């Protein structure tokens, strides 16, 4: 495992935002708070989609519109929240929807077949590169339940990432790391459930499913693990994604969710690690097409994370555990596309990837920690909220 550098990166903290009230009010508070970051995200994705597929932003939002009615049918309150975000930030509803469905726009089957001007052809985009983990029981020397991940994505959106706390009684209170304007991604709630996610890639059929941000938010809106699992098992997402659920009682399960069916995995001796390749089994449509992992570095990241996290067995307390976890998630084998991901200078600037956030939720104490960028060169930022300050939190 690569040692941590002796010098830290310049200090930077992720913005922290708290919203409450009705869905529309929550959205307006959110949109007003992240107006600069949300506009920066729109500028970035307009350029990114233009370079990768020759799509103008108008065409992107027109494609995103296909998810408006399915989301409204499934979760009308989330459309209200997105409308509030749009109002607060001074943009259109479809702009916000496109930010929430940016992965679906990329992975929609017809997107791969589009040519905007005869010069651009959309290829297979890499999935969100992430490495998620859960550790408890035998894997946790201090007896705490831990969940977290390195969230790897385009370096160009780093300044748009925010930490958000959503107070929405009687539903659990949420803490999530999101790109500005998104209603869901990764996080944990006051019922003691953590949700970590990884892109899986692969194109399926043309049927319309729900965007991942809607699915993930709906999972974290649940007050117990079985209801959270039910969301994953009963909804049809538009694209494949991996979901790692951990709960404070000391239980974790991983679901590889796809439009063609799900696979699942349980921890081994209290430790579970998942990356960006199919680990529970390759879906039949992809196997028939000759599946190969799109994120080949995932084949390195997963065992390296597992190896580093095994040191948790010897931890004597949370402070030591955080140090061990940060060390494990800072591994540089295969740099720059390593567990701790850094921009690859061989790629165009618009395609640079990095670890945007390394997160750690202590589901025993309720403490939530994040790094504003790569974990190898900066300390955890301790969030000003405890997970259990909310409904179901102090039962």
């Amino acid at each position: 495992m690569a040692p941590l550098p002796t010098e830290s990166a310049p200090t930077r903290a992720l913005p922290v935002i708290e919203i409450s009230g009705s869905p529309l009010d929550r959205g307006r508070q959110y949109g007003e708070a992240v107006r600069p970051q949300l506009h920066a995200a729109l500028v970035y994705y307009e350029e990114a989609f233009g370079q990768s597929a020759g799509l103008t932003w108008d065409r992107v939002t027109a494609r995103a519109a296909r998810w408006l009615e399915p989301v409204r049918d499934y979760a009308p309150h989330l459309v209200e929240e997105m409308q509030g975000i749009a109002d607060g930030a001074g943009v259109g509803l479809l702009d916000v929807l496109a930010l929430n469905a940016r992965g679906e726009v990329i992975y929609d089957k017809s997107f791969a077949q589009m040519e905007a001007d005869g010069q651009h052809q959309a290829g297979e985009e890499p999935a969100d590169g992430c490495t998620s983990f859960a550790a408890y029981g035998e894997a946790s020397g201090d007896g705490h339940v831990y969940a977290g991940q390195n969230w790897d994505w385009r370096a160009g959106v780093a300044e748009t990432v925010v930490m958000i706390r959503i107070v929405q009684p009687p539903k659990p209170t949420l803490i999530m790391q999101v790109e500005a304007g998104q209603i869901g991604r990764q996080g944990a709630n006051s019922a003691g459930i953590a949700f970590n996610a990884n892109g899986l890639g692969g194109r399926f059929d043309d049927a319309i499913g729900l965007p991942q941000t809607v699915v993930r938010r709906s999972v974290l809106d649940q007050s117990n693990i079985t209801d959270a699992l039910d969301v994953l098992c009963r909804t049809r997402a538009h694209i494949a994604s991996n979901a790692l659920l951990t709960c404070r009682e000391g239980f974790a399960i991983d679901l590889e969710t796809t439009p063609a069916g799900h696979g699942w995995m349980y921890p081994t001796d209290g430790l579970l690690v998942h990356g960006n390749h199919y680990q529970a089994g390759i879906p039949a449509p992809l196997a028939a097409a000759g599946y190969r992992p799109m994120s080949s570095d995932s084949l390195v990241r997963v065992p390296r994370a597992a190896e580093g996290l095994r040191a948790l067995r010897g931890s004597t307390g949370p402070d030591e555990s955080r140090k061990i976890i940060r060390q494990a998630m800072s591994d540089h084998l295969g740099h720059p596309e390593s567990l701790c991901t850094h921009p690859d200078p061989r790629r165009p600037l618009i395609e640079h990837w990095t670890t945007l956030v390394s997160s750690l939720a202590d589901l025993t104490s309720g403490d939530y920690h994040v790094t504003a960028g790569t974990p190898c060169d900066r300390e955890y930022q301790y969030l000003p909220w405890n997970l259990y300050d909310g409904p179901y939190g102090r039962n």
Side-chain angles (χ1 to χ4, degrees), residues 129-136 144-152 163 175 177 185-188 193-198 242-247 251-254 270-275 301 305-306 309 312 321-322 325-326 328-329 339 355 357-363 367-371 375 380 387:
C130 307
T131 311
S132 299
F133 68 88
Y136 60 90
H144 285 223
V145 177
Y146 294 106
Q149 71 179 100
N150 279 6
W151 171 24
D152 310 329
M163 299 302 304
I175 297 175
Q177 55 262 28
R185 187 149 292 280
Q186 294 94 223
I193 297 170
F195 181 97
N196 296 100
N198 317 69
N242 188 72
L244 201 170
L245 290 178
T246 311
C247 63
F251 176 83
I253 183 172
D254 187 278
L271 179 63
L272 201 164
V273 178
H274 205 288
R301 289 187 275 114
L309 291 168
L312 271 176
S321 293
R322 286 193 298 275
I325 292 170
R326 178 175 164 245
M329 304 307 285
L339 178 52
T355 296
V357 177
S358 186
S359 61
L360 171 59
D362 183 337
L363 296 181
D367 294 329
Y368 204 110
H369 306 265
V370 292
T371 62
Y380 281 123
L387 277 173

Side-chain angles (χ1 to χ4, degrees), residues 20 38 45 83 112 125 135 196 200 212 284 302 326 348 354 394:
S20 60
L38 193 151
Y45 282 115
Q83 182 64 65
E125 291 274 341
N196 296 100
L200 288 173
Q212 280 297 319
V302 169
R326 178 175 164 245
T354 192
R394 300 295 178 183

